[in-house]
Amino acid sequence: MNNVHIVTLGCSKNEVDSSMMYSLLNKDRYRMVDDASDADILIVNTCGFIDAAKEESIDTILESVEYKNEGRCKKVLLSGCLAQRYPEELLKEIPEIDGIIGTGNINYINELLDRSMAGDLFVKTDNLNSAYIEGIKKEEVKKTEFVKISEGCNNNCSYCIIPSLRGKNRSRKIEDIYSEVQYLVSKGAREIILIAQNTTDYGIDLYSKYSLAKLIKEISKIEDLKWIRVLYLYPDHFTDELIEEFRTNEKLVKYVDMPLQHISDNVLNSMNRKTSKDHILKTLKNLRASIPEIVIRTTFIVGFPGESQEDFKELVDFIEEIKFDKLGVFEYSREEGTKADLLDNQIPDEVKKRRKDEIMEIQSDISNEILSKNLDKSLEVLIEEKIDENNYVGRTYMDAPEIDGVIYVESNRNLEIGDFVIVKVIDTLDYDLVGEAI
C-alpha cells in the first residue's frame, strides 16, 4: 500500500480536480494522506494562469523533489494547468519528475501511479476537450463544498491562456449536478458553491440556452441544502431570469462574483471581452435596484497593453461611482501564446504597480465605509473554526471562503463547526467583522 498526497495550487476548480483524483484512486493499492512527509507519492496539481502562479508551481515542484531526495517519497507526479501547458519543458528542466497528466486526463490517475511505480515515465496531456467524469463520490465531505458545473471556456479573452489549457466550454447535465449536490448534502454539506470558468455560460452547449437559473432552481429543491453560492458570473450573459432568481430564491445567497476586468470600451475591445461599459452599468444597476442587500465582488486588470491614462481614469471613476463591496486588482501578466502578448504599447511594470496600488487604496476606504454599515446589524453566520473556548471564526452570506473576509464571533455557549447562528456585529476591521452570538 502506497501513501499518496496531492498538493493543490491555484483556484477552487483545481480543488475539485484534486478531489476527483483522490476519489478515483485504486483503494487496494493507494491511500491518501494529509501530510506530505508521510507520502510515498507526491502529486502537484499545478496552476499556470499568470507568472506568479507559475512561479509558485515551480517552487512547489522543487520542494516536492526535495522530499523525494531526502525523505520516504519515491515519486513526484504533476497534473493541472502548468503540467498541461509545459510538459516537455518541465521534464527537461526538472528530470526528477516521474510522470504527468494534463487537465483532461484525470481519469488516468491510476495508470499514472501504476506506471510511475513500475519505473515508466507516463505522460498524457491529450483529451483536452474530454467529457466530465461523473459518478465520483467524495469520502470526506466538508460543510462547504465546491461543485464544478462545466469545464473549459469559449470566451477567448486576448490575455487568457485558459481555453488552451482547459478546452472549450463543456457543461454537465443538470441531473448529474443535482445527483452530486444531493450526495454532498446527505453527507453533511450545508453550503454548495457552483463554479466554472464562466458560470453564466452554463448550459448553452447542452440546452441551446443559458440555463444557470434553471440549474439553481433544481438544486434548491434539495431539502437540507442551506446556502447556494455562485462564482465567476461573467456579465455578458447575466440574464434577467438569473437576476430574478437571485431576488426570489431564499437558498441562493445574495452574493454576485462578477469578473469585469475593465470598464473602458477601448480596453474591453482589446481584451476581446464580449461586453461593453453600457451593458455592465445596466446589469449592475438592475442588480442593486432589484436586490438592495446584494453584495457584488469583482476583479480588474490594470496595465493591459495600450491602457492609456484616460482609460485608467475611467476605471477609477467607475470604481468610485459603483463602490463595489469586494474588489481585487491584478497587474496584467504577459502570457506567451495569447493575442495580448503580441500587442504593441506594453505597459511598464512600475506603471502597472502604481495603478494597482492607487485602486487598492481607493477600495480600502470604500470597504471600510461599507463594512461600517453592518454595525449593530444581526447577521446569519456559518461557523467554520473554533479559536478557543468562547471565540470562533465564521462567514456571512457576504463572504466567499478564502477570497473574502470573515467574522470573528464571541459566544458564551458552545458552537459546532457547520452551525448557522445569528450574530450581532459590534466592530469592524479592515476587511472583517467582529460580533457576538445572540
Side-chain angles (χ1 to χ4, degrees), residues 105-318:
N105 297 279
I106 289 174
N107 55 316
Y108 286 89
I109 181 64
N110 286 302
E111 185 172 354
L112 172 69
L113 296 171
D114 292 345
R115 293 273 294 274
S116 66
M117 292 304 288
D120 296 335
L121 178 65
F122 181 71
V123 179
K124 191 168 182 62
T125 57
D126 55 0
N127 296 337
L128 191 59
N129 289 301
S130 60
Y132 192 85
I133 305 168
E134 298 291 353
I136 302 299
K137 303 295 186 185
K138 292 186 65 171
E139 294 179 2
E140 295 184 12
V141 174
K142 302 173 184 176
K143 297 300 180 182
T144 295
E145 286 286 347
F146 291 87
V147 173
K148 194 186 292 187
I149 63 174
S150 65
E151 181 62 277
C153 185
N154 291 342
N155 285 14
N156 293 309
C157 299
S158 64
Y159 55 82
C160 184
I161 198 69
I162 291 298
S164 300
L165 304 180
R166 294 276 177 177
K168 296 180 180 179
N169 178 68
R170 285 116 50 217
S171 302
R172 300 172 61 195
K173 294 178 181 178
I174 288 176
E175 54 266 34
D176 291 332
I177 298 170
Y178 182 97
S179 177
E180 180 179 350
V181 173
Q182 188 176 48
Y183 170 80
L184 293 171
V185 172
S186 74
K187 295 297 182 181
R190 305 300 307 282
E191 177 186 29
I192 295 295
I193 302 180
L194 304 180
I195 56 169
Q197 198 62 40
N198 175 2
T199 47
T200 46
D201 266 6
Y202 172 77
I204 188 64
D205 52 322
L206 283 180
Y207 308 114
S208 300
K209 63 176 294 188
Y210 300 106
S211 305
L212 181 59
K214 182 178 179 181
L215 170 65
I216 293 168
K217 278 189 177 75
E218 288 301 311
I219 65 173
S220 297
K221 297 173 183 177
I222 298 172
E223 185 175 349
D224 291 329
L225 175 56
K226 175 71 173 177
W227 279 355
I228 301 168
R229 190 182 301 273
V230 189
L231 300 184
Y232 317 125
L233 291 148
Y234 280 51
D236 38 325
H237 299 130
F238 207 110
T239 62
D240 291 341
E241 182 186 12
L242 187 55
I243 292 177
E244 182 65 9
E245 194 66 23
F246 271 96
R247 189 183 73 82
T248 60
N249 190 324
E250 293 182 357
K251 292 189 177 184
L252 180 60
V253 295
K254 308 301 187 271
Y255 175 101
V256 168
D257 175 80
M258 186 183 292
L260 296 177
Q261 314 304 17
H262 217 281
I263 197 59
S264 162
D265 281 332
N266 293 330
V267 179
L268 290 171
N269 289 335
S270 186
M271 288 178 166
N272 196 34
R273 300 286 287 180
K274 309 297 193 299
T275 188
S276 67
K277 180 177 183 177
D278 285 346
H279 178 75
I280 289 170
L281 283 169
K282 179 183 176 183
T283 302
L284 293 174
K285 288 175 180 177
N286 282 348
L287 276 167
R288 284 195 165 155
S290 303
I291 315 162
E293 69 273 33
I294 197 76
V295 166
I296 301 175
R297 173 182 171 79
T298 193
T299 51
F300 293 110
I301 295 172
V302 294
F304 189 79
E307 181 193 50
S308 66
Q309 187 59 37
E310 291 75 19
D311 294 326
F312 178 67
K313 184 179 185 305
E314 188 175 353
L315 177 58
V316 169
D317 291 343
F318 171 68

Side-chain angles (χ1 to χ4, degrees), residues 15-33:
E15 293 282 355
V16 174
D17 290 346
S18 291
S19 292
M20 290 177 66
M21 284 190 279
Y22 271 138
S23 298
L24 288 167
L25 287 182
N26 181 339
K27 305 303 188 294
D28 294 330
R29 294 176 57 83
Y30 307 102
R31 67 180 168 213
M32 61 181 185
V33 293

Side-chain angles (χ1 to χ4, degrees), residues 5-16 18-19 21-22 43-46 56:
H5 178 75
I6 302 179
V7 183
T8 306
L9 305 173
C11 66
S12 49
K13 294 181 285 294
N14 258 14
E15 293 282 355
V16 174
S18 291
S19 292
M21 284 190 279
Y22 271 138
I43 303 173
V44 183
N45 192 0
T46 60
E56 182 185 21

